[in-house]
Amino acid sequence: MIPEDVINRIRERADIVDIVGAHLSLTKAGQNFKGLCPFHQEKTPSFTVSPSRQTFHCFGCGEGGNVFSFLMKIDGSTFPAVVRALGEKVGVPVEDRPVSPAVRQRMELRERLLALTKVAAERFHLNLLADAEAEPARNYLASRGMTPDTIERFDIGYSQSGWDGTLTALTKAGFSAEDIAAAGLAIPREQAAGFYDRFRGRVMFPIRDLQKQVIGFGGRMLDDGTPKYLNSPETPLFSKGRILYALDAARDAITRLGYVIVVEGYFDAIALHQAGCANAVATLGTALTPEHLELIRRFTQRVVLLFDPDSAGVRAALRTMDLFLGSGFSVQVGSVPAGDDPDTFIRSQGPDAFAALIKSAPSLLEFTVQASLTAGRAGTVEDRVRCVEDVLTLLQKLSNPVEQSAAIRHVADQLGMDEKALLARYKALPRKSVKASTPQPSAGVFENQPLPKDEEVLLQLLVHEVLTPEMWTEVRAEDFTDTRAKRLVSLVCAADAPHTRQQALAQASEDELCGSITRALSMTELPYDNINAAFQQSLKALKLRRIAVELQEIKAAEALATKAGRDEEARTLLVRLNVLQQERQKLSKINPSSYNEAGRIHA
């Protein structure tokens, strides 16, 4: 573990303007610097760097953070790797804190396995290029349209058909049989001591992480043996539910183009890259997982899925619908014609036809609804009824009522049903709770769901640290209605001194819920000639709005209590109602100019 004081010294010495400026062109804009965002496509600069706060924020895609998070995203590196590299750059030596023997043992095993898989990938690749046994593999790759340059670029290889060729070669290279097995390249024998090769007689695809380190392998059988495709097992390096094949090669294109294409196989991804579609990745024989989504989110929030147009592809789309609901992603589904896959389609039809297919791809909702309706129309009456209920259950998961209404109207039109009857059935269906991924805050969310004006003003004054101690006593998280605002205020107001508030603001700028608005507000110029008056007016509006909401709630509760004969409860609510009305009356009479210079209200 890297000591916290070392991390802080590196942060203090590293100038974020210099670090970011080494990766993109920045121009001075007031107190800040601006440039074109490296994390999404844009023509007008919205990527802002604050030298005073040592943070960055993009008002277009919402990415933001400090110098460490910028380098992690731009390089795809881990936090420790970024800290070490930056420490070397700014002259702060990084020494790890002593760790427990168990942690040290895991770290040493990982280092040994990474060295092992690197040598294994090199051996497999050399086998393909030079081994006479690999001639069928070379012919097969040529039949799939793989060029020598592509084979080299993706380090495609070949595993010999013997039982222990890989094991013997790696043992001679100095690796233990136990480590070879731990890396997923060997399997213990059941009836005798020792191990044998996991991959035999297969075309080999090295699987790399974002640091381009080989962490696992996929192997494709050349004959009729099974399984046709075989992946590395779960190892200390490899977990197929967390890895996307070719993401290391696709990340720059994904960022540049603004979207990722997700296919289902190695050859599909490689063929797309070879044809110039360098933003393609593949799942490793598994459905997309929440971990995959978080990995993709680092580079884009627009996804194009390519499914086979058969029933299995439709089922895959339906499963994916659940995963993407509420995730904040924009998702389209493309389908190649029956009998094709992305590999054969792009080789036979060309990149232009493939680009047109992507451009016309329907949204995930439209695709799943249409697929369900097609299946329902082709079946029995019972199938049609079941299809309708399946679709309506799907629509329940939409949180946007406008989307729901439009989708129900579309379904009614497609089935030739009465919209009112369909809506009645929709309302009668039991509601199912949906565990959706939490969308990450972004500047887009900030712009599309703006803060109430009074809350925005107060937060802006707060993050610019212009409030006096007396003003601080007037700011309470419970008065705010926006959840992001509540989170920011609760973090900062918990600090009891200016230096701890600065630390709290730094924490808030990295917070999952309020980080985006904290960075966005901190990078705006204060437009107020009179800070005191801006604070007074906004605080008054905030409190009046909070009272109005509470009055409404109490009136409704009091009416219910009276109707139910709960007299004591009704009297208590009336007392609270009276107090709130008096408080509102007092606030309404206050002119902001009656605040003293410290910003407190004269009660």
Side-chain angles (χ1 to χ4, degrees), residues 322-335:
D322 273 345
L323 181 67
F324 278 107
L325 281 167
S327 67
F329 281 90
S330 168
V331 189
Q332 296 167 267
V333 181
S335 293

Side-chain angles (χ1 to χ4, degrees), residues 517-537:
I517 61 167
T518 305
R519 295 189 301 267
L521 289 169
S522 69
M523 291 183 182
T524 57
E525 302 289 340
L526 280 178
Y528 315 113
D529 295 329
N530 188 326
I531 299 294
N532 197 42
F535 174 78
Q536 295 165 10
Q537 291 165 359

Side-chain angles (χ1 to χ4, degrees), residues 351-517:
D352 289 344
F354 184 79
L357 183 149
I358 295 296
K359 186 176 182 181
S360 62
S363 71
L364 178 57
L365 172 64
E366 187 179 348
F367 178 87
T368 50
V369 168
Q370 192 57 50
S372 295
L373 296 180
T374 300
R377 281 195 294 261
T380 64
V381 174
E382 290 78 8
D383 290 336
R384 196 167 180 237
V385 171
R386 187 165 54 250
C387 152
V388 171
E389 300 214 342
D390 286 347
V391 170
L392 293 180
T393 301
L394 183 70
L395 300 186
Q396 279 186 338
K397 299 169 185 176
L398 293 172
S399 57
N400 187 323
V402 176
E403 257 190 307
Q404 287 178 344
S405 178
I408 289 171
R409 191 177 305 115
H410 174 68
V411 173
D413 288 343
Q414 291 293 311
L415 288 179
M417 293 180 65
D418 180 67
E419 184 182 340
K420 289 182 180 178
L422 202 61
L423 184 60
R425 180 59 191 145
Y426 171 78
K427 290 178 178 178
L429 285 173
R431 306 297 292 183
K432 295 184 179 180
S433 62
V434 182
K435 291 184 180 179
S437 304
T438 303
Q440 297 294 311
S442 68
V445 171
F446 176 66
E447 291 165 357
N448 295 333
Q449 298 176 343
L451 294 162
K453 184 60 181 175
D454 51 320
E455 297 189 18
E456 180 182 328
V457 172
L458 291 170
L459 291 184
Q460 198 174 23
L461 297 174
L462 183 149
V463 300
H464 281 273
E465 300 177 67
V466 295
L467 300 183
T468 65
E470 290 78 7
M471 288 174 174
W472 276 105
T473 64
E474 296 290 343
V475 181
R476 302 183 308 170
E478 57 267 29
D479 284 338
F480 289 77
T481 58
D482 187 279
T483 53
R484 299 163 297 175
K486 282 179 182 287
R487 174 65 174 166
L488 172 54
V489 175
S490 63
L491 283 173
V492 179
C493 286
D496 55 4
H499 72 281
T500 52
R501 287 197 192 109
Q502 290 171 0
Q503 294 172 355
L505 279 168
Q507 179 189 351
S509 70
E510 299 292 319
D511 187 78
E512 185 177 1
L513 180 59
C514 68
S516 185
I517 61 167

Side-chain angles (χ1 to χ4, degrees), residues 179-238:
D179 279 356
I180 297 169
L185 289 168
I187 300 172
R189 295 182 184 275
E190 292 183 4
Q191 304 300 326
F195 301 84
Y196 62 94
D197 290 350
R198 179 181 297 275
F199 298 99
R200 303 181 305 281
R202 292 176 180 269
V203 174
M204 298 297 292
F205 303 93
I207 301 166
R208 300 178 185 274
D209 63 14
L210 287 173
Q211 286 75 51
K212 298 188 179 296
Q213 301 173 115
V214 179
I215 57 173
F217 295 90
R220 206 276 186 193
M221 206 66 160
L222 288 172
D223 55 26
D224 294 331
T226 56
K228 182 187 289 186
Y229 284 95
L230 179 67
N231 289 323
S232 291
E234 299 288 307
T235 74
L237 300 179
F238 179 76

Side-chain angles (χ1 to χ4, degrees), residues 10 14-16 18-23 39 47 56 64-79 81-87 89-90 211 251 298-299:
I10 294 171
D15 184 354
I16 194 170
D18 291 341
I19 301 299
V20 173
H23 292 83
F39 305 126
F47 185 89
F56 73 95
N66 58 26
V67 66
F68 298 126
S69 48
F70 175 81
L71 289 172
M72 286 170 67
K73 184 162 182 65
I74 203 80
D75 294 334
S77 298
T78 62
F79 180 74
V82 163
V83 172
R84 289 190 180 91
L86 195 53
K89 183 180 179 69
V90 300
Q211 286 75 51
R251 49 177 295 175
R298 295 170 62 179
F299 305 101

